[in-house]
Amino acid sequence: MNCETCQLKELELETTEIRDVLRCILHTIFFHRTLSLVRPKDVDCDFLEITYVQCGLPELEKEVDEKIDQFIAWVEKHPNRKSQVCLSFFDEKSKNPGWFVNKTERIYWEQWFINLHVMSPKRYSKSNSSKGLTNIGGNALEETSSRRAALESSINEVLFQIINFANEKKDHIPAIPDRIFNHEIMIPSSSDSVFGWNTDVIRRVLNSGHPYSL
């Protein structure tokens, strides 16, 4: 079974925007890779002028939010670093079944790499005059507005990238019953390697025969 990979365009963002960005991207991928019957719902981002679609599955929304919380906690300990969040889809097959042991192995068939550069907010020097404070505040708002507009544009590019990949790459998808695909969301860990990945995770994927393209 072939394992298709998609490296999404790198996004520059601040910590306060992580939740919006990852929810938007992860749920968009899930929506385009779900065969089960769902009730799609439109969701507006909290800080960005972007609307995306969720599958309407509470357990999936909970899983995504828990992983985002873990990633935010990692970012707070590793500021101003580039990192990846990886969503992998896999199939499970029995491996050397025996009388008392029935081991399964994961066969990864698709991996999505979300590339992020989380930056610390820009700090402005203090000014003693009221005019200086006004200018600083105005410049900060203008820069934030401009930066977020650029981020929204980049996210839209990523969403189109997801849609195009999902529509063009279908031959590798396994035939399974009507359900959501087996999946896992990987984030950097406290014991990350120089690439920002847990060495145990890398070893596990390499053993599956479908290595990540780091």
Side-chain angles (χ1 to χ4, degrees):
M1 181 186 296
N2 292 330
C3 181
E4 296 285 352
T5 62
C6 182
Q7 289 278 358
L8 297 175
K9 175 182 176 179
E10 182 179 280
L11 299 173
E12 293 187 351
L13 66 160
E14 293 183 357
T15 307
T16 55
E17 297 155 343
I18 292 176
R19 193 172 302 278
D20 267 351
V21 171
L22 285 181
R23 276 178 175 172
C24 177
I25 295 175
L26 288 169
H27 282 295
T28 298
I29 296 172
F30 278 119
F31 180 73
H32 287 278
R33 279 295 183 253
T34 300
L35 297 181
S36 57
L37 295 176
V38 297
R39 295 182 177 179
K41 64 176 183 179
D42 291 340
V43 179
D44 295 326
C45 290
D46 293 330
F47 295 102
L48 304 170
E49 295 296 324
I50 291 179
T51 300
Y52 61 95
V53 180
Q54 289 186 358
C55 295
L57 301 173
E59 65 277 12
L60 183 59
E61 294 171 23
K62 180 181 178 182
E63 177 190 359
V64 168
D65 282 346
E66 287 176 350
K67 286 295 183 179
I68 292 175
D69 287 340
Q70 294 173 23
F71 180 72
I72 291 174
W74 181 88
V75 167
E76 289 174 347
K77 295 179 181 178
H78 304 81
N80 292 316
R81 282 190 59 177
K82 294 186 178 183
S83 58
Q84 284 184 328
V85 173
C86 178
L87 170 57
S88 298
F89 292 102
F90 61 88
D91 197 9
E92 287 187 333
K93 293 187 177 181
S94 296
K95 181 179 181 181
N96 300 324
W99 287 101
F100 303 103
V101 180
N102 186 16
K103 293 183 178 181
T104 60
E105 64 174 335
R106 291 182 174 183
I107 308 299
Y108 291 84
W109 51 267
E110 188 170 276
Q111 296 165 341
W112 299 79
F113 292 92
I114 305 170
N115 297 293
L116 303 174
H117 184 191
V118 183
M119 303 174 296
S120 298
K122 184 175 181 180
R123 294 184 178 182
Y124 293 85
S125 57
K126 295 182 178 180
S127 174
N128 294 326
S129 67
S130 57
K131 182 178 180 181
L133 289 173
T134 300
N135 290 337
I136 290 173
N139 291 338
L141 289 174
E142 184 178 345
E143 287 189 17
T144 298
S145 177
S146 176
R147 187 187 57 76
R148 282 197 171 163
L151 176 59
E152 289 167 359
S153 178
S154 294
I155 292 174
N156 282 322
E157 290 182 36
V158 168
L159 297 182
F160 278 115
Q161 189 180 355
I162 292 170
I163 294 170
N164 290 335
F165 183 92
N167 289 335
E168 293 174 2
K169 304 287 186 178
K170 295 181 178 181
D171 293 341
H172 63 291
I173 300 177
I176 63 170
D178 181 27
R179 60 174 172 79
I180 191 168
F181 290 119
N182 290 328
H183 62 272
E184 64 180 342
I185 302 171
M186 294 183 179
I187 63 172
S189 74
S190 56
S191 57
D192 62 343
S193 67
V194 292
F195 294 102
W197 284 98
N198 188 322
T199 53
D200 179 63
V201 170
I202 296 175
R203 189 183 306 111
R204 179 153 48 91
V205 177
L206 288 174
N207 289 337
S208 77
H210 300 287
Y212 288 126
S213 2
L214 290 172

